[in-house]
Amino acid sequence: NAGVTQTPKFRILKIGQSMTLQCTQDMNHNYMYWYRQDPGMGLKLIYYSVGAGITDKGEVPNGYNVSRSTTEDFPLRLELAAPSQTSVYFCASSYYGTGDGSGYTFGSGTRLTVV
Amino acid sequence: AQSVTQLGSHVSVSEGALVLLRCNYSSSVPPYLFWYVQYPNQGLQLLLKYTSAATLVKGINGFEAEFKKSETSFHLTKPSAHMSDAAEYFCAVIPSGGGADGLTFGKGTHLIIQP
């Protein structure tokens, strides 16, 4: 049981480049989330999805895009990388938006540096 | 809107001493509350959760937390600190019954264990 898998683990981008952070879960969870983590700031929600074909913005969506074509996959796209997007990105999933109190399952993270 | 406040970005205790990490929430009704732990270069792992059952909740690795409605608090404790407890700890909140945009995280507390 792999849980939530994120790739790549590390990446260095140049300003203006684009990339996709991949996230896959094998638990048949309906809800998926993308967070960014910056030192001393906790986790900020970028985008979330409540099921295939449905996505919505979180607290810090600017500069990012997402899609959810299947239950398993929830990729995060950076179109024009900026230094402000240097961060650690976490993908998470839950079965029922934690309405059942089960909490999230997190991936191991992607550390992105934009230079 | 709900929120959590973690008092102290860094907490240092001696090995064998009591660990106390503070979390206060802001919500119009008692929410669900979670504590997560993050070890260096890893994702977040669920320590324990409060979902309106017992107010004293026991988690993994000897940690426990008590929900106090009168104080709007959910402080995390461990009677005797171990070197392996050194990590970042996050308190998180969601309305009871869940919410589409998921958990709101505190800024985290870095726990340092002195030998």
Side-chain angles (χ1 to χ4, degrees):
Chain A
N1 189 354
V4 178
T5 301
Q6 289 184 240
T7 58
K9 292 189 182 300
F10 304 93
R11 183 74 184 269
I12 298 174
L13 277 183
K14 294 184 178 180
I15 294 171
Q17 287 185 322
S18 63
M19 76 164 292
T20 299
L21 282 67
Q22 302 292 345
C23 176
T24 299
Q25 53 91 8
D26 62 357
M27 298 169 287
N28 201 32
H29 282 173
N30 295 315
Y31 290 69
M32 296 187 74
Y33 312 85
W34 274 106
Y35 286 88
R36 59 176 288 169
Q37 182 183 23
D38 301 297
M41 299 302 294
L43 280 76
K44 302 288 188 182
L45 183 65
I46 304 171
Y47 271 95
Y48 65 97
S49 169
V50 302
I54 305 170
T55 63
D56 208 344
K57 297 178 181 179
E59 183 180 359
V60 290
N62 292 343
Y64 307 94
N65 278 299
V66 294
S67 60
R68 184 96 182 269
S69 57
T70 66
T71 299
E72 295 78 19
D73 300 308
F74 191 41
L76 177 71
R77 178 95 177 150
L78 283 70
E79 292 293 350
L80 291 170
S84 61
Q85 293 177 305
T86 294
S87 187
V88 181
Y89 293 85
F90 287 100
C91 179
S93 72
S94 69
Y95 185 70
Y96 188 54
T98 70
D100 59 350
S102 59
Y104 291 173
T105 300
F106 279 88
S108 58
T110 295
R111 186 175 297 273
L112 176 66
T113 302
V114 181
V115 296
Chain B
Q2 60 197 352
S3 64
V4 288
T5 302
Q6 293 184 238
L7 294 177
S9 59
H10 291 78
V11 171
S12 180
V13 302
S14 299
E15 190 174 18
L18 172 71
V19 174
L20 172 60
L21 303 182
R22 299 177 188 274
C23 173
N24 288 89
Y25 69 90
S26 173
S27 177
S28 57
V29 295
Y32 291 169
L33 291 153
F34 302 78
W35 275 101
Y36 283 84
V37 60
Q38 183 183 32
Y39 298 104
N41 299 314
Q42 294 188 25
L44 279 71
Q45 178 183 354
L46 182 65
L47 262 181
L48 48 79
K49 59 187 179 183
Y50 167 76
T51 56
S52 72
T55 56
L56 181 62
V57 180
K58 295 185 184 298
I60 62 172
N61 301 337
F63 284 93
E64 63 181 37
E66 186 172 8
F67 174 75
K68 292 187 176 180
K69 182 179 176 181
S70 61
E71 299 178 6
T72 61
S73 68
F74 190 56
H75 302 331
L76 182 70
T77 61
K78 182 174 180 178
S80 178
H82 191 272
M83 295 300 291
S84 61
D85 295 327
E88 191 86 15
Y89 292 79
F90 293 94
C91 184
V93 64
I94 194 169
S96 58
D101 58 350
L103 293 169
T104 299
F105 288 85
K107 293 185 176 181
T109 298
H110 186 64
L111 178 62
I112 301 162
I113 311 297
Q114 305 281 3

